[in-house]
Amino acid sequence: MRDLIIVGAGPSGLTAALYALRSGNKVTLIEQGAPGGQLLKTEKIDNYPGFANGILGMELATNMFQQISSYSNLELETQTVISIKKETDKVVVATGNGNAIEGHSLVLAMGGNPRLLDIPGEVEYTGKGVSYCAICDGFFFKDKITTVIGGGDTAFEDALYLAKISKEVHLIHRRDTFRASKILTEQLKNHNNIQLHLNYTPKAILGDTKVEKIEIESTSGESNKTIETNGVFVAIGQKMNTDFLNNQIPLNKDGRIIVNHKMATEIQGIFACGDIIAKSLYQVSTAVGDGAVAGQEAVYYIENK
Ligand code: NAP
């Protein structure tokens, strides 16, 4: 039996692990991909305190993971979680390889997956021009034309990143105001190779063997447009990765886990942190902050059992 099981090795899960490991707990950290979460999809983070000149997402992820990897009381499982079950005095976490890992306490930090546009051509051209990660795939579009969908921080960061690689970037957003921060909005508007298409929503992605065009539909009564493009980067938010919870833990209307100020869910011994929880600010700094609280509160819970 482990002391603490953590699902998800993004910044919040890695921080929760750090706090529990430093208290001498036996921790199993389950992650289906590489440790780092959304950090791996971010080129540079300019608003993480302590790094006046910013820090690369990959570098911060590597540093965070290195900080916990030397603890002998850590077990890392590269697996997908398929279910959890709370029993009287333990939590059982089932993984895709048929294992059932038992722990005194559980921290949920699995974040989300990119939300899909759900339009013709999206699935067909995924990997053939349609991508959900500019940092991962941007290089394939060197000196080509790329198109980003969305009006949030992710879409703006993606457009700014692609503007350094592609010869031309189109940004399509369904409104004329943005969720993206003011600072990113200013940077984007000042870029001469980024063209904005506001009040438009994607209708279909077209091509032959690869993406060639995107059709966009006006949301303000203007005529529809077709844009020639080699790549379409979808950045319209995330769908939370909560299916395996099977309605055992209350979620808010956006599908995020409801926690109290101790990051505790309604189920005793189960905590949550990072993008998966309902909160007001989604940043690396807040993920790290609530990861620390979740990890430490799990430690208190284990000690008091
Ligand atoms: P987001 O803030 O939820 O923005 C999603 C964008 O996609 C919105 O502009 C939304 O339009 C648009 N959208 C949603 N569904 C759509 C659809 N079906 N068709 C067309 N457009 C659609 O998501 P995000 O940008 O991934 O950011 C998630 C969170 O992480 C945010 O809290 C953000 O601040 C944070 N974040 C922060 C940083 C940073 O600080 N550097 C970087 C990345 C992310 P509407 O606006 O019309 O709804």
Side-chain angles (χ1 to χ4, degrees):
M1 168 100 100
R2 306 296 289 170
D3 292 316
L4 177 62
I5 302 168
I6 300 172
V7 184
S12 63
L14 291 169
T15 309
L18 177 67
Y19 277 68
L21 291 166
R22 285 172 61 86
S23 298
N25 289 276
K26 288 180 280 174
V27 175
T28 294
L29 179 57
I30 308 173
E31 166 60 58
Q32 58 188 358
Q38 292 297 314
L39 287 176
L40 303 177
K41 295 185 174 181
T42 308
E43 186 196 18
K44 194 172 166 217
I45 299 144
D46 284 319
N47 56 1
Y48 192 71
F51 296 91
N53 298 317
I55 179 164
L56 297 178
M58 177 66 84
E59 190 184 352
L60 189 55
T62 305
N63 290 350
M64 284 185 184
F65 184 58
Q66 268 176 358
Q67 196 170 1
I68 62 163
S69 23
S70 59
Y71 285 87
S72 58
N73 44 339
L74 173 71
E75 264 178 18
L76 182 67
E77 292 277 344
T78 308
Q79 283 298 328
T80 302
V81 171
I82 53 171
S83 70
I84 62 161
K85 190 169 168 211
K86 173 77 168 94
E87 296 183 359
T88 317
D89 58 349
K90 65 182 178 190
V91 184
V92 184
V93 177
T95 53
N97 59 347
N99 276 355
I101 305 167
E102 298 186 346
H104 291 294
S105 181
L106 172 67
V107 170
L108 299 167
M110 57 279 186
N113 292 319
R115 194 180 285 147
L116 305 192
L117 284 167
D118 201 17
I119 58 168
E122 181 180 27
V123 172
E124 185 186 345
Y125 290 111
T126 293
K128 297 172 188 161
V130 174
S131 168
Y132 300 85
C133 177
I135 298 295
C136 318
D137 299 326
F139 187 74
F140 297 117
F141 300 89
K142 190 166 162 43
D143 300 324
K144 295 190 173 169
I145 305 170
T146 50
T147 299
V148 177
I149 320 292
D153 286 325
T154 306
F156 277 41
E157 284 187 351
D158 285 358
L160 289 164
Y161 176 74
L162 290 166
K164 293 187 271 183
I165 301 169
S166 313
K167 70 172 175 200
E168 193 179 314
V169 179
H170 297 268
L171 183 118
I172 296 161
H173 178 40
R174 62 186 178 184
R175 298 188 289 135
D176 61 1
T177 53
F178 308 110
R179 286 175 198 260
S181 66
K182 215 169 173 179
I183 189 161
L184 286 175
T185 306
E186 286 311 312
Q187 283 176 26
L188 189 122
K189 283 181 173 166
N190 291 332
H191 242 279
N192 54 13
N193 65 339
I194 302 178
Q195 199 180 323
L196 297 177
H197 303 268
L198 303 182
N199 299 317
Y200 279 94
T201 186
K203 193 161 178 256
I205 298 166
L206 309 167
D208 184 8
T209 55
K210 289 189 276 190
V211 169
E212 290 172 3
K213 293 173 198 162
I214 182 164
E215 254 179 43
I216 58 174
E217 188 169 32
S218 172
T219 56
S220 62
E222 300 292 315
S223 45
N224 294 352
K225 295 198 252 185
T226 300
I227 300 168
E228 302 222 339
T229 191
N230 305 106
V232 175
F233 290 82
V234 183
I236 60 166
Q238 295 189 329
K239 181 190 174 300
M240 292 303 112
N241 211 344
T242 49
D243 289 353
F244 70 81
L245 299 179
N246 210 10
N247 301 322
Q248 295 173 86
I249 296 179
L251 308 177
N252 74 354
K253 66 174 177 28
D254 298 326
R256 299 187 196 251
I257 297 173
I258 299 168
V259 290
N260 65 15
H261 66 285
K262 294 182 174 179
M263 303 300 138
T265 68
E266 224 174 59
I267 314 289
Q268 257 212 342
I270 303 186
F271 301 83
C273 51
D275 283 359
I276 201 81
I277 64 166
K279 59 179 175 178
S280 62
L281 185 63
Y282 295 90
Q283 298 281 305
V284 186
S285 53
T286 58
V288 162
D290 44 59
V293 175
Q296 192 58 43
E297 290 296 334
V299 169
Y300 293 145
Y301 172 82
I302 296 159
E303 284 170 359
N304 289 330
K305 264 187 77 178

